[in-house]
């Protein structure tokens, strides 16, 4: 019997227990042993819940029980999740988590502690919800030199931009709808300003290069400035606007960013809509692969946590390997990033824009009073230098 403790009985935590209940037979068959939720840690009581008897309010009860082999940390936030995780690993108890905040900030440290104490720290659910991406990077793609990762990693922003794209609604209205449906928090800043996606691409980038990519060092640009007019131009070019997170190796070094991009229908990420997520990985010999599915939600995220529980149970008193060194990776700056830019300026500034940007491709979406165009491939620094000479309404990068 594998005894498990679940920390936090909210959306994901209750989902973990539910997945273990629903799929108990499959889990037992594949593991060769039964998995049992022995404790559920929460500040609240849950009268009438099928697992009411397992609820405890004191973490020390779990720490004092030598039968607990795996802990599922689904509390969210930095504290007390980080402290509880560290204490469990130091005791030799494996931890599986969906907490991207703790993973992004302390991942390599917690992996090292797990290795020192012959247990595992696994975090499949921290990126992409139920999409299997951490395990493929750690196992299936170990023979590859990963050259780039590009993903839609935040379901809230993807839902908002999908509504703006397909129904022409304003950003504020699409966000309000996302909040009413439970896709966005009351305070949506972490989503719409790119912080959530930055943590996720930091985790993937770290696994890609083996060092520690700090999410604080990643360039972040939100979607709050995107307008219905931007989508009219995108449609005129056969493109859409997607909230992308990316990391890649360049001649100058390692680079990562989060920002909205225009892309055309030939890219596999073009068809990723609503709250779905996808991760597009390019390797030097395999080429391109993509991982797609529900990036959030109770049961998809919980399924990923439980898959980690099974992995831990299969490797008792051992560490499931994960290459993520504590040495920080120095990222190249946004100034050196090169791409094309979609730019809107007042119609009266068209000539000045052509003089400032040189050769451009004009875009006509039937919007009066404006001149819009796409630049050649230029660096961000070159764009800023040219844009300083013109009254720019808005600009969006083009993939």
């Amino acid at each position: 019997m594998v005894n498990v403790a679940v920390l936090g009985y909210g959306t994901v935590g209750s989902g973990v227990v539910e997945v273990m209940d629903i799929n108990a037979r499959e889990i037992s068959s594949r593991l060769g042993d039964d998995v049992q939720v022995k404790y559920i840690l929460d500040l609240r009581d849950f009268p009438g819940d099928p697992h009411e008897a397992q609820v405890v309010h004191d973490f020390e009860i779990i720490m004092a029980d030598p039968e607990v082999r795996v802990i599922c940390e689904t509390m969210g936030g930095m504290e007390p999740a980080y402290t509880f995780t560290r204490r469990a690993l130091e005791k030799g108890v494996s931890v599986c988590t969906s907490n991207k905040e703790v993973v992004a900030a302390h991942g390599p440290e917690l992996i090292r502690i797990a290795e020192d104490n012959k247990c595992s720290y696994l975090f499949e659910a921290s990126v992409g919800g139920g999409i299997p991406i951490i395990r493929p990077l750690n196992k299936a793609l170990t023979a590859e030199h990963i050259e780039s990762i590009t993903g839609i990693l935040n379901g809230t922003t993807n839902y908002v931009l999908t509504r703006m794209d397909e129904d022409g609604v304003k950003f504020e209205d699409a966000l309000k709808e996302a909040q009413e449906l439970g896709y966005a928090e009351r305070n949506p800043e972490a989503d719409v300003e790119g912080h959530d996606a930055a943590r996720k691409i930091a985790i993937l980038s770290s696994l890609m290069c083996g060092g520690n990519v700090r999410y604080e060092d990643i360039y972040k640009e939100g979607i709050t400035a995107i307008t219905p007019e931007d989508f009219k131009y995108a449609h005129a070019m056969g493109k859409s606007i997607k909230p992308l997170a990316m990391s890649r190796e360049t001649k100058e070094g390692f680079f990562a960013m989060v920002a909205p991009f225009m892309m055309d229908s030939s890219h596999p990420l073009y068809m990723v809509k609503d709250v779905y997520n996808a991760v597009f990985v390019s390797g030097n010999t395999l080429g391109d692969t993509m991982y797609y599915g529900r990036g959030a939600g109770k049961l998809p995220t919980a399924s990923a946590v439980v898959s980690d529980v099974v992995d831990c149970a299969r490797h008792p008193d051992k560490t499931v390997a994960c290459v993520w060194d504590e040495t920080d990776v120095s990222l190249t700056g946004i100034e050196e990033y090169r791409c094309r830019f979609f730019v809107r300026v007042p119609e009266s500034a068209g000539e000045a824009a052509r003089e400032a940007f040189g050769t451009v491709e004009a875009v006509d979406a039937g919007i009066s009073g404006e001149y819009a165009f796409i630049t050649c491939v230029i660096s961000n620094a070159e764009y800023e230098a040219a844009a300083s000479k013109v009254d720019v309404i808005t600009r969006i990068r083009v993939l």
Side-chain angles (χ1 to χ4, degrees):
M1 177 70 69
V2 178
N3 287 293
V4 176
V6 177
L7 309 186
Y9 203 43
T11 299
V12 178
S14 62
V16 166
V17 176
E18 187 174 344
V19 168
M20 289 186 184
D21 286 344
I22 294 172
N23 293 336
R25 185 172 63 179
E26 288 81 0
I27 294 169
S28 176
S29 174
R30 291 163 187 170
L31 177 60
D33 200 352
D34 293 330
V35 176
Q36 170 184 276
V37 176
K38 189 169 185 180
Y39 299 107
I40 298 170
L41 179 71
D42 204 286
L43 294 175
R44 303 163 292 174
D45 290 310
F46 296 88
D49 188 277
H51 293 275
E52 177 185 3
Q54 286 104 305
V55 175
V56 297
H57 307 303
D58 187 355
F59 181 65
E60 300 306 325
I61 295 173
I62 298 172
M63 284 288 90
D65 190 336
E67 293 184 347
V68 174
R69 290 170 53 186
V70 183
I71 285 176
C72 300
E73 188 277 289
T74 58
M75 306 176 73
M78 187 60 67
E79 289 293 355
Y82 165 67
T83 297
F84 288 174
T85 296
R86 183 183 177 110
R87 287 190 57 198
L89 295 174
E90 288 173 340
K91 188 186 174 187
V93 177
S94 293
V95 176
C96 308
T97 185
S98 59
N99 193 332
K100 57 187 170 291
E101 188 173 348
V102 172
V103 177
H106 298 286
E109 171 201 1
L110 295 173
I111 290 169
R112 175 180 53 78
I113 293 173
E115 291 173 346
D116 291 344
N117 292 278
K118 296 182 179 180
C119 57
S120 296
Y121 181 59
L122 302 184
F123 42 90
E124 182 66 70
S126 66
V127 178
I131 301 173
I133 182 59
I134 304 297
R135 196 169 281 105
L137 288 176
N138 278 334
K139 295 183 179 180
L141 300 178
T142 51
E144 282 296 296
H145 177 77
I146 305 300
E147 297 176 327
S148 68
I149 297 176
T150 304
I152 295 173
L153 302 179
N154 183 274
T156 300
T157 53
N158 200 36
Y159 178 84
V160 168
L161 291 185
T162 298
R163 291 284 286 116
M164 295 178 71
D165 186 3
E166 297 185 347
D167 300 294
V169 301
K170 295 181 180 179
F171 168 81
E172 294 80 6
D173 295 331
L175 176 59
K176 182 179 179 181
E177 183 178 312
Q179 290 172 318
E180 291 171 350
L181 292 170
Y183 297 151
E185 301 290 339
R186 178 175 298 180
N187 179 0
E189 181 180 354
D191 294 322
V192 300
E193 296 297 349
H195 302 295
D196 175 81
R199 288 187 171 92
K200 294 173 180 177
I201 196 63
I203 294 168
L204 295 181
S205 300
S206 297
L207 299 178
M208 171 182 166
C209 69
N212 185 44
V213 176
R214 289 165 31 93
Y215 77 91
E216 299 94 334
D217 297 338
I218 295 175
Y219 175 82
K220 295 173 283 290
E221 190 175 300
I223 65 167
T224 57
I226 304 296
T227 67
E229 288 75 20
D230 292 322
F231 277 102
K232 289 181 180 179
Y233 283 110
H235 294 164
M237 295 183 284
K239 299 181 184 295
S240 185
I241 304 171
K242 298 293 183 181
L244 299 186
M246 62 175 61
S247 59
R248 61 189 57 189
E249 279 189 329
T250 68
K251 293 179 180 179
E252 293 77 24
F254 199 82
F255 175 76
M257 74 180 298
V258 172
F261 275 77
M262 279 190 175
M263 63 166 57
D264 61 42
S265 58
S266 64
H267 198 289
L269 292 174
Y270 178 89
M271 293 305 296
V272 180
K273 301 180 179 182
D274 296 320
V275 294
Y276 280 83
N277 283 191
V279 184
F280 189 76
V281 180
S282 296
N284 66 327
T285 59
L286 176 63
D288 299 332
T289 58
M290 191 169 87
Y291 307 82
Y292 168 82
R294 289 191 176 275
K298 178 179 179 177
L299 294 182
T301 304
S303 177
V305 175
V306 176
S307 73
D308 280 345
V309 171
V310 173
D311 214 3
C312 289
R314 283 174 172 164
H315 300 87
D317 302 316
K318 295 180 181 178
T319 300
V320 177
C322 180
V323 180
W324 184 350
D325 190 83
E326 291 183 78
T327 303
D328 290 338
V329 175
S330 179
L331 301 180
T332 59
I334 185 64
E335 297 80 9
E336 300 172 31
Y337 179 74
R338 299 179 63 81
C339 66
R340 294 184 297 158
F341 290 84
F342 165 74
V343 186
R344 293 165 54 197
V345 300
E347 187 174 26
S348 59
E351 183 59 35
R354 288 188 288 272
E355 290 179 2
F357 286 94
T359 302
V360 298
E361 176 186 344
V363 181
D364 183 6
I367 298 177
S368 61
E370 293 187 6
Y371 176 70
F373 58 91
I374 290 181
T375 70
C376 296
V377 175
I378 56 177
S379 69
N380 207 82
E382 290 170 328
Y383 166 80
E384 294 293 347
S388 67
K389 304 174 184 177
V390 188
D391 181 17
V392 173
I393 297 173
T394 190
R395 65 100 179 95
I396 302 172
R397 293 178 179 83
V398 181
L399 190 65

